[in-house]
Protein backbone atom coordinates (compact mmCIF):
# COMPACT_ATOMS: atom_id res chain seq x y z
CA UNK A 1 0.00 0.00 0.00
CA UNK A 2 1.57 3.23 -1.11
CA UNK A 3 1.18 6.29 1.03
CA UNK A 4 -1.69 8.62 0.18
CA UNK A 5 -0.48 11.61 -1.84
CA UNK A 6 -1.11 15.22 -0.96
CA UNK A 7 -1.09 18.30 -3.17
CA UNK A 8 0.77 21.44 -2.05
CA UNK A 9 -2.65 22.88 -1.09
CA UNK A 10 -3.46 20.12 1.38
CA UNK A 11 -3.06 22.13 4.58
CA UNK A 12 -5.02 25.03 3.07
CA UNK A 13 -7.94 22.68 2.36
CA UNK A 14 -7.84 21.57 5.99
CA UNK A 15 -7.85 25.20 7.12
CA UNK A 16 -10.86 25.82 4.89
CA UNK A 17 -12.60 22.90 6.65
CA UNK A 18 -12.90 20.76 3.53
CA UNK A 19 -14.15 17.21 3.81
CA UNK A 20 -11.30 15.13 2.39
CA UNK A 21 -11.53 11.83 0.47
CA UNK A 22 -9.12 9.44 -1.16
CA UNK A 23 -9.41 10.10 -4.89
CA UNK A 24 -7.18 7.76 -6.91
CA UNK A 25 -4.54 7.72 -4.21
CA UNK A 26 -4.74 11.45 -3.49
CA UNK A 27 -6.21 13.01 -0.37
CA UNK A 28 -8.45 15.60 -2.03
CA UNK A 29 -11.27 17.96 -0.94
CA UNK A 30 -14.66 16.48 -1.92
CA UNK A 31 -16.55 19.49 -0.58
CA UNK A 32 -16.05 22.60 1.53
CA UNK A 33 -19.67 23.52 2.16
CA UNK A 34 -22.07 21.42 0.12
CA UNK A 35 -21.84 19.78 -3.29
CA UNK A 36 -25.11 21.34 -4.46
CA UNK A 37 -24.26 24.84 -3.22
CA UNK A 38 -20.80 24.65 -4.77
CA UNK A 39 -22.22 23.39 -8.08
CA UNK A 40 -24.65 26.31 -8.20
CA UNK A 41 -21.96 28.83 -7.30
CA UNK A 42 -19.81 27.76 -10.26
CA UNK A 43 -22.77 27.98 -12.67
CA UNK A 44 -23.68 31.46 -11.43
CA UNK A 45 -20.43 33.01 -10.21
CA UNK A 46 -16.97 31.48 -9.99
CA UNK A 47 -15.18 28.65 -8.23
CA UNK A 48 -11.57 27.57 -7.71
CA UNK A 49 -10.60 23.91 -7.77
CA UNK A 50 -7.33 22.35 -6.70
CA UNK A 51 -6.54 19.96 -9.54
CA UNK A 52 -2.84 19.68 -8.76
CA UNK A 53 -3.11 15.91 -8.87
CA UNK A 54 -3.44 16.15 -12.68
CA UNK A 55 -0.32 15.32 -14.69
CA UNK A 56 1.86 17.46 -16.93
CA UNK A 57 4.15 15.83 -19.48
CA UNK A 58 6.41 17.73 -21.90
CA UNK A 59 7.19 16.37 -25.37
CA UNK A 60 9.91 18.27 -27.15
CA UNK A 61 12.22 17.83 -30.14
CA UNK A 62 12.41 18.00 -33.90
CA UNK A 63 10.16 14.96 -34.35
CA UNK A 64 7.63 15.98 -31.67
CA UNK A 65 4.85 16.61 -34.21
CA UNK A 66 5.32 13.37 -36.17
CA UNK A 67 5.61 11.40 -32.95
CA UNK A 68 2.44 12.84 -31.40
CA UNK A 69 0.50 12.40 -34.67
CA UNK A 70 1.12 8.66 -34.50
CA UNK A 71 0.00 8.12 -30.90
CA UNK A 72 -2.96 10.51 -30.55
CA UNK A 73 -6.34 10.75 -32.31
CA UNK A 74 -6.64 14.49 -32.97
CA UNK A 75 -4.64 16.35 -35.63
CA UNK A 76 -1.66 17.90 -33.87
CA UNK A 77 -0.56 19.65 -37.10
CA UNK A 78 -3.54 22.00 -36.69
CA UNK A 79 -2.07 23.42 -33.50
CA UNK A 80 -0.53 26.84 -33.93
CA UNK A 81 1.70 28.23 -31.23
CA UNK A 82 -0.36 28.76 -28.08
CA UNK A 83 -3.27 26.58 -29.23
CA UNK A 84 -4.58 23.51 -27.46
CA UNK A 85 -6.79 20.55 -28.38
CA UNK A 86 -8.66 17.76 -26.65
CA UNK A 87 -7.36 14.35 -27.71
CA UNK A 88 -6.83 10.74 -26.66
CA UNK A 89 -3.95 8.31 -26.42
CA UNK A 90 -5.37 5.14 -28.01
CA UNK A 91 -4.20 1.56 -27.64
CA UNK A 92 -3.41 -0.55 -30.74
CA UNK A 93 -6.87 -2.01 -30.21
CA UNK A 94 -8.55 1.44 -30.17
CA UNK A 95 -9.16 1.65 -26.42
CA UNK A 96 -8.26 4.63 -24.28
CA UNK A 97 -4.89 4.74 -22.56
CA UNK A 98 -6.07 8.20 -21.48
CA UNK A 99 -7.76 11.35 -22.66
CA UNK A 100 -5.78 14.55 -22.52
CA UNK A 101 -5.29 18.11 -23.69
CA UNK A 102 -2.28 18.90 -25.83
CA UNK A 103 -1.01 22.49 -25.93
CA UNK A 104 1.65 23.74 -28.32
CA UNK A 105 3.89 25.89 -26.16
CA UNK A 106 6.90 26.14 -28.51
CA UNK A 107 7.74 25.51 -32.17
CA UNK A 108 8.67 21.91 -31.28
CA UNK A 109 7.44 21.79 -27.70
CA UNK A 110 4.11 20.36 -26.51
CA UNK A 111 2.56 20.43 -23.04
CA UNK A 112 0.31 17.46 -22.27
CA UNK A 113 -2.25 17.62 -19.45
CA UNK A 114 -3.21 14.06 -18.43
CA UNK A 115 -5.35 12.39 -15.78
CA UNK A 116 -3.95 12.01 -12.27
CA UNK A 117 -4.58 8.28 -12.07
CA UNK A 118 -2.79 7.69 -15.38
CA UNK A 119 0.38 9.77 -15.04
CA UNK A 120 2.81 6.86 -14.64
CA UNK A 121 1.01 4.68 -17.19
CA UNK A 122 0.93 7.49 -19.78
CA UNK A 123 4.57 8.38 -19.22
CA UNK A 124 5.65 4.75 -19.71
CA UNK A 125 3.38 4.46 -22.77
CA UNK A 126 4.84 7.62 -24.31
CA UNK A 127 8.41 6.40 -23.77
CA UNK A 128 7.58 2.94 -25.11
CA UNK A 129 6.24 4.38 -28.38
CA UNK A 130 9.10 6.79 -28.96
CA UNK A 131 10.67 4.53 -31.60
CA UNK A 132 13.22 6.29 -33.78
CA UNK A 133 11.78 9.74 -33.16
CA UNK A 134 14.05 12.47 -31.89
CA UNK A 135 12.03 13.69 -28.91
CA UNK A 136 12.56 14.11 -25.20
CA UNK A 137 9.66 13.22 -22.94
CA UNK A 138 9.67 14.68 -19.45
CA UNK A 139 7.20 14.05 -16.66
CA UNK A 140 6.93 17.46 -15.05
CA UNK A 141 3.92 16.52 -12.91
CA UNK A 142 5.80 16.80 -9.59
CA UNK A 143 6.78 20.40 -10.47
CA UNK A 144 3.38 21.85 -11.25
CA UNK A 145 0.31 22.70 -9.27
CA UNK A 146 -2.87 23.22 -11.22
CA UNK A 147 -5.86 25.36 -10.26
CA UNK A 148 -9.09 25.55 -12.22
CA UNK A 149 -10.89 28.90 -12.11
CA UNK A 150 -14.36 28.30 -13.53
CA UNK A 151 -17.63 30.14 -13.93
CA UNK A 152 -19.14 33.18 -15.66
CA UNK A 153 -17.12 35.48 -13.39
CA UNK A 154 -13.84 33.56 -13.85
CA UNK A 155 -12.23 36.18 -16.10
CA UNK A 156 -12.70 38.91 -13.48
CA UNK A 157 -11.49 36.60 -10.72
CA UNK A 158 -8.31 35.68 -12.54
CA UNK A 159 -7.58 39.25 -13.59
CA UNK A 160 -7.72 40.29 -9.93
CA UNK A 161 -4.37 38.60 -9.31
CA UNK A 162 -2.60 39.43 -12.57
CA UNK A 163 -0.44 42.30 -13.82
CA UNK A 164 -2.06 44.68 -16.36
CA UNK A 165 -0.19 43.08 -19.27
CA UNK A 166 -1.24 39.57 -18.23
CA UNK A 167 -4.81 40.82 -17.72
CA UNK A 168 -4.81 41.89 -21.36
CA UNK A 169 -3.57 38.45 -22.47
CA UNK A 170 -6.36 36.76 -20.52
CA UNK A 171 -8.97 39.07 -22.06
CA UNK A 172 -7.84 38.05 -25.56
CA UNK A 173 -7.31 34.35 -24.87
CA UNK A 174 -9.55 32.21 -27.15
CA UNK A 175 -11.13 28.97 -25.97
CA UNK A 176 -8.56 26.10 -25.62
CA UNK A 177 -5.57 28.46 -26.02
CA UNK A 178 -2.71 28.79 -23.56
CA UNK A 179 -0.44 31.69 -22.61
CA UNK A 180 2.43 32.32 -20.26
CA UNK A 181 1.72 34.55 -17.30
CA UNK A 182 3.38 35.65 -14.10
CA UNK A 183 1.97 34.69 -10.69
CA UNK A 184 3.49 36.35 -7.65
CA UNK A 185 6.63 36.92 -9.71
CA UNK A 186 6.88 33.30 -10.87
CA UNK A 187 6.32 31.98 -14.38
CA UNK A 188 3.23 29.91 -15.05
CA UNK A 189 0.64 29.18 -17.71
CA UNK A 190 -3.01 30.09 -18.18
CA UNK A 191 -5.16 27.87 -20.42
CA UNK A 192 -8.69 28.79 -21.42
CA UNK A 193 -10.10 25.34 -20.71
CA UNK A 194 -12.07 23.54 -18.05
CA UNK A 195 -14.18 20.61 -16.94
CA UNK A 196 -17.37 22.34 -15.81
CA UNK A 197 -19.23 23.52 -18.92
CA UNK A 198 -18.65 27.14 -17.92
CA UNK A 199 -16.23 29.73 -19.19
CA UNK A 200 -13.02 29.17 -17.28
CA UNK A 201 -9.29 28.80 -16.99
CA UNK A 202 -6.82 26.19 -15.85
CA UNK A 203 -3.64 27.68 -14.48
CA UNK A 204 -0.31 25.93 -14.01
CA UNK A 205 1.91 27.34 -11.29
CA UNK A 206 5.01 26.22 -9.38
CA UNK A 207 4.23 24.24 -6.19
CA UNK A 208 5.89 26.81 -3.96
CA UNK A 209 3.25 29.46 -4.67
CA UNK A 210 0.20 27.19 -5.10
CA UNK A 211 -1.32 27.86 -1.67
CA UNK A 212 -0.65 31.58 -1.75
CA UNK A 213 -2.16 31.95 -5.26
CA UNK A 214 -5.25 29.99 -4.20
CA UNK A 215 -5.57 32.19 -1.09
CA UNK A 216 -5.00 35.36 -3.13
CA UNK A 217 -7.79 34.39 -5.53
CA UNK A 218 -10.17 33.80 -2.61
CA UNK A 219 -9.21 37.12 -1.08
CA UNK A 220 -9.27 39.36 -4.15
CA UNK A 221 -12.27 37.97 -6.03
CA UNK A 222 -15.65 36.56 -5.12
CA UNK A 223 -14.53 33.06 -6.14
CA UNK A 224 -15.17 30.25 -3.65
CA UNK A 225 -13.28 26.97 -3.20
CA UNK A 226 -15.04 24.03 -4.87
CA UNK A 227 -14.50 20.35 -4.16
CA UNK A 228 -14.30 17.31 -6.40
CA UNK A 229 -17.95 16.44 -5.62
CA UNK A 230 -19.24 19.46 -7.53
CA UNK A 231 -16.52 19.01 -10.15
CA UNK A 232 -18.10 15.65 -10.91
CA UNK A 233 -21.71 16.88 -11.14
CA UNK A 234 -20.62 19.89 -13.23
CA UNK A 235 -18.66 17.78 -15.72
CA UNK A 236 -21.46 15.22 -15.91
CA UNK A 237 -24.03 17.86 -16.87
CA UNK A 238 -21.62 19.03 -19.58
CA UNK A 239 -21.13 15.33 -20.60
CA UNK A 240 -17.35 15.47 -20.31
CA UNK A 241 -15.85 12.00 -19.99
CA UNK A 242 -14.26 10.74 -16.78
CA UNK A 243 -11.49 8.20 -17.27
CA UNK A 244 -12.12 4.95 -15.40
CA UNK A 245 -15.86 5.62 -15.28
CA UNK A 246 -16.97 6.46 -18.81
CA UNK A 247 -14.08 4.95 -20.68
CA UNK A 248 -10.92 2.91 -20.25
CA UNK A 249 -8.81 0.57 -22.39
CA UNK A 250 -11.94 -1.39 -23.41
CA UNK A 251 -13.86 1.59 -24.87
CA UNK A 252 -12.92 3.36 -28.09
CA UNK A 253 -13.03 7.11 -28.73
CA UNK A 254 -15.70 6.48 -31.37
CA UNK A 255 -17.89 4.64 -28.86
CA UNK A 256 -17.26 7.24 -26.16
CA UNK A 257 -18.73 9.95 -28.37
CA UNK A 258 -15.61 11.94 -29.20
CA UNK A 259 -15.47 11.05 -32.91
CA UNK A 260 -15.23 14.82 -33.50
CA UNK A 261 -11.71 14.68 -32.03
CA UNK A 262 -10.63 11.70 -34.16
CA UNK A 263 -9.01 12.95 -37.36
CA UNK A 264 -8.62 10.06 -39.79
CA UNK A 265 -7.37 12.36 -42.55
CA UNK A 266 -4.18 13.22 -40.65
CA UNK A 267 -2.45 9.92 -41.50
CA UNK A 268 -1.77 6.75 -39.56
CA UNK A 269 -2.11 6.47 -35.80
CA UNK A 270 -2.56 3.72 -33.23
CA UNK A 271 -5.92 1.98 -33.41
CA UNK A 272 -6.95 3.88 -36.56
CA UNK A 273 -8.19 0.93 -38.65
CA UNK A 274 -10.49 -0.31 -35.92
CA UNK A 275 -11.87 3.18 -35.21
CA UNK A 276 -12.54 3.71 -38.92
CA UNK A 277 -14.40 0.41 -39.11
CA UNK A 278 -16.42 1.28 -36.00
CA UNK A 279 -17.35 4.63 -37.48
CA UNK A 280 -18.27 3.08 -40.83
CA UNK A 281 -20.36 0.41 -39.08
CA UNK A 282 -18.37 -2.51 -40.49
CA UNK A 283 -17.31 -3.44 -36.95
CA UNK A 284 -19.80 -3.59 -34.08
CA UNK A 285 -19.57 -0.65 -31.70
CA UNK A 286 -21.50 0.73 -28.78
CA UNK A 287 -22.43 4.38 -28.37
CA UNK A 288 -22.47 6.81 -25.49
CA UNK A 289 -25.86 8.35 -24.84
CA UNK A 290 -27.08 10.87 -22.31
CA UNK A 291 -30.19 9.96 -20.37
CA UNK A 292 -32.58 11.50 -17.89
CA UNK A 293 -34.64 9.49 -15.46
CA UNK A 294 -38.36 9.83 -16.03
CA UNK A 295 -39.18 8.86 -12.46
CA UNK A 296 -37.77 9.29 -8.96
CA UNK A 297 -34.38 7.79 -8.22
CA UNK A 298 -30.74 8.06 -9.22
CA UNK A 299 -28.90 5.80 -11.63
CA UNK A 300 -25.20 5.35 -10.95
CA UNK A 301 -22.03 3.99 -12.54
CA UNK A 302 -22.24 0.27 -13.32
CA UNK A 303 -26.03 -0.11 -13.29
CA UNK A 304 -27.50 -2.19 -16.13
CA UNK A 305 -29.51 -0.53 -18.89
CA UNK A 306 -32.40 -2.32 -20.62
CA UNK A 307 -34.72 -1.80 -23.56
CA UNK A 308 -37.76 -3.82 -22.61
CA UNK A 309 -36.35 -7.05 -21.14
CA UNK A 310 -33.11 -6.97 -23.10
CA UNK A 311 -29.94 -5.71 -21.48
CA UNK A 312 -28.37 -3.24 -23.90
CA UNK A 313 -25.62 -1.58 -21.87
CA UNK A 314 -24.49 0.02 -18.69
CA UNK A 315 -24.56 3.40 -16.95
CA UNK A 316 -21.04 4.85 -17.02
CA UNK A 317 -21.79 7.98 -14.96
CA UNK A 318 -24.94 8.94 -13.13
CA UNK A 319 -25.97 11.43 -10.50
CA UNK A 320 -28.41 14.15 -9.67
CA UNK A 321 -28.22 16.97 -12.21
CA UNK A 322 -28.42 20.09 -10.06
CA UNK A 323 -28.73 22.68 -12.87
CA UNK A 324 -30.71 20.58 -15.33
CA UNK A 325 -32.82 19.23 -12.45
CA UNK A 326 -33.74 15.63 -11.89
CA UNK A 327 -31.27 12.81 -12.26
CA UNK A 328 -29.46 11.38 -15.25
CA UNK A 329 -26.11 10.65 -16.73
CA UNK A 330 -24.38 8.80 -19.53
CA UNK A 331 -24.68 5.20 -20.62
CA UNK A 332 -22.74 3.05 -23.04
CA UNK A 333 -25.30 1.03 -25.02
CA UNK A 334 -25.59 -1.07 -28.18
CA UNK A 335 -25.56 1.24 -31.16
CA UNK A 336 -29.03 0.44 -32.47
CA UNK A 337 -30.72 -0.23 -29.15
CA UNK A 338 -32.23 3.22 -28.67
CA UNK A 339 -32.31 6.63 -30.35
CA UNK A 340 -32.96 10.15 -29.12
CA UNK A 341 -36.26 10.28 -27.26
CA UNK A 342 -36.53 6.50 -26.78
CA UNK A 343 -37.22 4.90 -23.42
CA UNK A 344 -34.64 2.93 -21.47
CA UNK A 345 -35.10 1.18 -18.19
CA UNK A 346 -32.31 1.07 -15.64
CA UNK A 347 -31.87 -1.44 -12.84
CA UNK A 348 -31.49 0.82 -9.80
CA UNK A 349 -30.71 -1.45 -6.89
CA UNK A 350 -33.16 -4.12 -8.01
CA UNK A 351 -35.91 -1.74 -9.16
CA UNK A 352 -36.46 -0.84 -12.80
CA UNK A 353 -36.56 2.92 -13.34
CA UNK A 354 -37.75 4.47 -16.58
CA UNK A 355 -35.34 6.80 -18.36
CA UNK A 356 -35.23 8.62 -21.69
CA UNK A 357 -32.38 9.12 -24.15
CA UNK A 358 -31.79 12.86 -24.40
CA UNK A 359 -29.49 15.16 -26.33
CA UNK A 360 -25.85 15.44 -25.29
CA UNK A 361 -24.73 17.44 -23.44
CA UNK A 362 -27.30 17.50 -20.64
CA UNK A 363 -26.32 21.10 -19.96
CA UNK A 364 -25.35 23.37 -22.85
CA UNK A 365 -21.83 24.42 -22.13
CA UNK A 366 -21.10 28.15 -22.08
CA UNK A 367 -17.36 27.75 -22.42
CA UNK A 368 -16.82 30.15 -25.31
CA UNK B 1 -24.65 18.02 16.12
CA UNK B 2 -27.16 17.22 18.81
CA UNK B 3 -28.56 13.98 20.23
CA UNK B 4 -31.82 14.52 22.10
CA UNK B 5 -31.97 12.66 25.42
CA UNK B 6 -35.51 11.34 24.98
CA UNK B 7 -34.54 9.35 21.86
CA UNK B 8 -32.91 5.94 21.35
CA UNK B 9 -30.23 5.30 18.73
CA UNK B 10 -28.95 2.47 16.52
CA UNK B 11 -25.54 1.42 15.18
CA UNK B 12 -26.84 2.37 11.72
CA UNK B 13 -27.21 5.98 12.84
CA UNK B 14 -30.95 6.06 13.15
CA UNK B 15 -32.95 7.53 15.98
CA UNK B 16 -36.13 6.05 17.45
CA UNK B 17 -38.82 7.90 19.38
CA UNK B 18 -40.77 5.30 21.36
CA UNK B 19 -44.37 5.91 22.37
CA UNK B 20 -46.00 2.77 23.76
CA UNK B 21 -46.13 0.24 20.94
CA UNK B 22 -45.39 2.78 18.24
CA UNK B 23 -42.21 4.49 17.16
CA UNK B 24 -41.06 7.29 14.88
CA UNK B 25 -37.76 6.65 13.06
CA UNK B 26 -35.29 9.07 11.52
CA UNK B 27 -31.58 9.53 10.92
CA UNK B 28 -29.16 11.32 13.19
CA UNK B 29 -27.51 14.67 12.62
CA UNK B 30 -24.17 12.83 12.61
CA UNK B 31 -25.27 10.60 9.72
CA UNK B 32 -26.61 13.58 7.81
CA UNK B 33 -23.35 15.42 8.21
CA UNK B 34 -21.45 12.39 6.90
CA UNK B 35 -23.77 12.05 3.92
CA UNK B 36 -23.65 15.64 2.71
CA UNK B 37 -26.49 16.90 0.51
CA UNK B 38 -29.34 14.40 0.56
CA UNK B 39 -30.83 14.20 -2.93
CA UNK B 40 -33.14 11.21 -2.82
CA UNK B 41 -35.09 9.21 -0.30
CA UNK B 42 -36.66 5.84 -0.98
CA UNK B 43 -39.33 5.01 1.62
CA UNK B 44 -41.56 1.94 2.00
CA UNK B 45 -45.34 1.85 1.64
CA UNK B 46 -47.74 2.09 4.55
CA UNK B 47 -48.72 -1.42 5.64
CA UNK B 48 -45.39 -3.09 4.77
CA UNK B 49 -43.76 -5.07 7.58
CA UNK B 50 -40.03 -5.46 8.18
CA UNK B 51 -37.91 -7.51 10.53
CA UNK B 52 -35.44 -5.73 12.81
CA UNK B 53 -32.17 -5.25 10.91
CA UNK B 54 -33.69 -5.54 7.44
CA UNK B 55 -33.63 -2.78 4.86
CA UNK B 56 -36.75 -0.64 4.66
CA UNK B 57 -35.50 2.04 2.28
CA UNK B 58 -32.50 4.04 1.17
CA UNK B 59 -31.11 7.52 1.41
CA UNK B 60 -28.87 9.03 -1.26
CA UNK B 61 -26.51 11.94 -1.21
CA UNK B 62 -24.79 13.43 -4.25
CA UNK B 63 -22.10 10.76 -4.01
CA UNK B 64 -23.37 7.73 -2.10
CA UNK B 65 -26.40 5.67 -1.34
CA UNK B 66 -27.01 4.14 2.10
CA UNK B 67 -29.59 1.61 3.19
CA UNK B 68 -32.04 2.42 5.95
CA UNK B 69 -32.39 -0.38 8.51
CA UNK B 70 -35.47 -1.21 10.51
CA UNK B 71 -34.63 -0.79 14.21
CA UNK B 72 -37.55 -2.88 15.54
CA UNK B 73 -39.64 -5.59 13.88
CA UNK B 74 -42.87 -3.87 12.95
CA UNK B 75 -45.37 -2.49 10.46
CA UNK B 76 -45.17 0.87 8.71
CA UNK B 77 -48.15 3.02 9.73
CA UNK B 78 -47.14 6.35 8.24
CA UNK B 79 -44.45 7.81 5.99
CA UNK B 80 -43.25 11.41 5.95
CA UNK B 81 -44.20 12.42 2.41
CA UNK B 82 -43.52 16.08 3.19
CA UNK B 83 -39.86 15.52 3.98
CA UNK B 84 -39.36 13.35 0.89
CA UNK B 85 -40.41 16.39 -1.14
CA UNK B 86 -38.26 18.82 0.80
CA UNK B 87 -35.05 16.94 1.53
CA UNK B 88 -33.08 20.00 2.67
CA UNK B 89 -35.45 20.03 5.65
CA UNK B 90 -33.78 16.87 6.94
CA UNK B 91 -30.61 18.51 8.17
CA UNK B 92 -32.48 21.63 9.32
CA UNK B 93 -34.57 19.61 11.76
CA UNK B 94 -33.54 15.92 11.79
CA UNK B 95 -35.31 14.96 15.01
CA UNK B 96 -38.77 16.54 14.67
CA UNK B 97 -39.80 17.49 11.11
CA UNK B 98 -37.21 15.02 9.77
CA UNK B 99 -38.85 11.77 10.86
CA UNK B 100 -39.00 9.24 8.01
CA UNK B 101 -41.48 6.55 9.02
CA UNK B 102 -43.75 5.64 11.92
CA UNK B 103 -44.25 2.03 12.86
CA UNK B 104 -46.28 -0.12 15.23
CA UNK B 105 -44.76 -3.18 16.84
CA UNK B 106 -45.78 -6.08 19.10
CA UNK B 107 -42.61 -6.26 21.15
CA UNK B 108 -39.48 -4.17 21.17
CA UNK B 109 -36.80 -6.51 19.80
CA UNK B 110 -34.43 -3.73 18.71
CA UNK B 111 -30.87 -3.21 19.89
CA UNK B 112 -31.25 0.40 20.88
CA UNK B 113 -28.71 2.66 22.53
CA UNK B 114 -28.96 5.51 24.97
CA UNK B 115 -27.67 8.90 23.67
CA UNK B 116 -24.41 8.65 25.64
CA UNK B 117 -23.61 5.21 24.16
CA UNK B 118 -24.38 6.43 20.66
CA UNK B 119 -22.07 9.39 21.10
CA UNK B 120 -19.35 7.00 22.25
CA UNK B 121 -19.90 4.95 19.08
CA UNK B 122 -19.50 7.91 16.75
CA UNK B 123 -16.46 9.13 18.67
CA UNK B 124 -14.88 5.76 17.83
CA UNK B 125 -15.85 6.09 14.16
CA UNK B 126 -14.32 9.55 13.83
Amino acid sequence: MTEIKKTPLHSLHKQLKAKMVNFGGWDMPVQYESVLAEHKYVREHCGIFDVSHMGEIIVEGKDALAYLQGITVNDVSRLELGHGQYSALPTEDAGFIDDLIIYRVGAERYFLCVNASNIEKDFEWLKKHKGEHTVTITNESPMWSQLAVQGPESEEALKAILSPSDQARVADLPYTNITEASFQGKKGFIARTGYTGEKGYEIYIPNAIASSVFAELLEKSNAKPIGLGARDTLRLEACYLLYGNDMDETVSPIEAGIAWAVRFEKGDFLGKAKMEAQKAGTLPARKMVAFKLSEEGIARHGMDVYVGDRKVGVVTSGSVLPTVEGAGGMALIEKDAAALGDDLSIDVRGKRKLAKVVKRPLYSAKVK
Amino acid sequence: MSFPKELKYTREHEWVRLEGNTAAIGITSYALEQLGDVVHLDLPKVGETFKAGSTFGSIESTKTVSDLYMPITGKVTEINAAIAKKLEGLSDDPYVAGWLIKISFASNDGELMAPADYQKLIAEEE
Side-chain angles (χ1 to χ4, degrees), chain A residues 33-312:
Chain A
E33 180 192 351
S34 122
V35 173
L36 297 179
E38 288 166 29
H39 180 110
K40 188 164 188 275
Y41 200 80
V42 173
R43 288 271 181 260
E44 293 174 358
H45 302 284
C46 175
I48 316 172
F49 306 71
D50 175 16
V51 286
S52 300
H53 56 315
M54 301 283 287
E56 295 84 14
I57 296 173
I58 307 295
V59 173
E60 188 171 27
K62 78 175 173 59
D63 295 336
L65 173 61
Y67 161 69
L68 287 172
Q69 287 288 60
I71 58 161
T72 64
V73 297
N74 210 330
D75 186 356
V76 188
S77 74
R78 293 159 64 109
L79 289 179
E80 291 173 36
L81 199 61
H83 288 198
Q85 69 184 192
Y86 178 70
S87 191
L89 294 175
T91 65
E92 288 92 342
D93 200 35
F96 277 88
I97 289 293
D98 204 358
D99 66 343
L100 75 169
I101 298 180
I102 301 177
Y103 300 102
R104 188 174 178 194
V105 293
E108 294 171 342
R109 185 178 166 89
Y110 296 86
F111 185 105
L112 280 48
C113 175
V114 305
N115 283 300
S117 53
N118 290 337
I119 296 172
E120 296 306 323
K121 181 180 79 167
D122 292 355
F123 187 50
E124 292 308 314
W125 180 264
L126 290 169
K127 286 191 292 187
K128 185 179 149 197
H129 289 85
K130 195 174 142 185
E132 300 297 304
H133 291 112
T134 303
V135 286
T136 52
I137 303 159
T138 317
N139 180 9
E140 290 197 353
S141 306
M143 290 169 48
W144 294 102
S145 287
Q146 191 186 146
L147 308 181
V149 184
Q150 302 279 308
E153 294 165 11
S154 55
E155 185 175 332
E156 291 69 28
L158 191 53
K159 281 177 172 172
I161 64 160
L162 294 174
S163 69
S165 61
D166 283 345
Q167 286 177 15
R169 291 198 213 191
V170 164
D172 296 335
L173 195 64
Y175 183 55
T176 74
N177 282 30
I178 193 166
T179 181
E180 275 187 19
S182 173
F183 295 90
Q184 299 180 353
K186 301 269 195 299
K187 197 187 107 173
F189 291 100
I190 299 172
R192 177 76 196 282
T193 45
Y195 197 48
T196 60
E198 295 301 326
K199 178 179 178 177
Y201 304 86
E202 290 172 315
I203 65 175
Y204 299 85
I205 50 181
N207 293 333
I209 58 166
S211 273
S212 54
V213 168
F214 197 100
E216 192 185 0
L217 274 164
L218 290 180
E219 189 195 316
K220 294 187 176 166
S221 76
N222 66 348
K224 286 188 178 177
I226 310 294
L228 294 184
R231 184 170 165 82
D232 190 48
T233 53
L234 287 160
R235 71 95 195 166
L236 181 58
E237 284 187 332
C239 286
Y240 293 142
L241 302 175
L242 174 62
Y243 193 88
N245 276 46
D246 300 309
M247 78 300 193
D248 54 26
E249 292 181 24
T250 69
V251 178
S252 91
I254 302 299
E255 294 179 309
I258 60 154
W260 58 269
V262 181
R263 301 286 180 166
F264 295 119
E265 73 280 4
K266 73 168 174 172
D268 201 23
F269 58 91
L270 286 178
K272 180 183 180 182
K274 185 164 176 184
M275 283 184 239
E276 266 183 322
Q278 285 177 332
K279 193 168 185 189
T282 52
L283 260 186
R286 299 158 291 179
K287 68 176 175 187
M288 191 71 82
V289 295
F291 67 87
K292 277 199 73 182
L293 282 168
S294 312
E295 51 186 322
E296 285 265 308
I298 299 166
R300 298 196 184 261
H301 173 76
M303 290 178 175
D304 289 335
V305 178
Y306 293 81
V307 168
D309 286 331
R310 198 167 66 87
K311 189 190 157 187
V312 297

Side-chain angles (χ1 to χ4, degrees), chain A residues 316-361:
Chain A
T316 59
S317 285
S319 176
V320 280
L321 305 171
T323 312
V324 179
E325 293 185 347
M330 291 189 281
L332 195 57
I333 64 168
E334 290 172 16
K335 205 175 194 169
D336 302 319
L340 204 62
D342 286 353
D343 281 336
L344 302 171
S345 88
I346 300 173
D347 185 339
V348 178
R349 292 154 55 82
K351 285 182 196 163
R352 289 292 187 86
K353 302 277 184 181
L354 214 58
K356 204 175 268 303
V357 178
V358 296
K359 222 173 73 201
R360 277 169 26 130

Side-chain angles (χ1 to χ4, degrees), chain B residues 7-10 12-17 23-29 31-32 41 43 56 59 68-69 71 80 83 90 93-103 118:
Chain B
L7 303 179
K8 299 288 187 193
Y9 298 86
T10 73
E12 282 81 23
H13 307 291
E14 284 146 4
W15 57 259
V16 180
R17 177 177 281 114
I25 296 159
I27 41 183
T28 67
S29 52
L32 287 165
L41 197 56
L43 294 178
F56 74 79
I59 184 164
L68 295 166
Y69 296 96
N80 191 347
I83 205 73
L90 267 179
D93 187 7
Y95 299 109
V96 182
W99 65 275
L100 300 180
I101 61 171
K102 290 182 180 172
I103 63 166
Y118 178 65

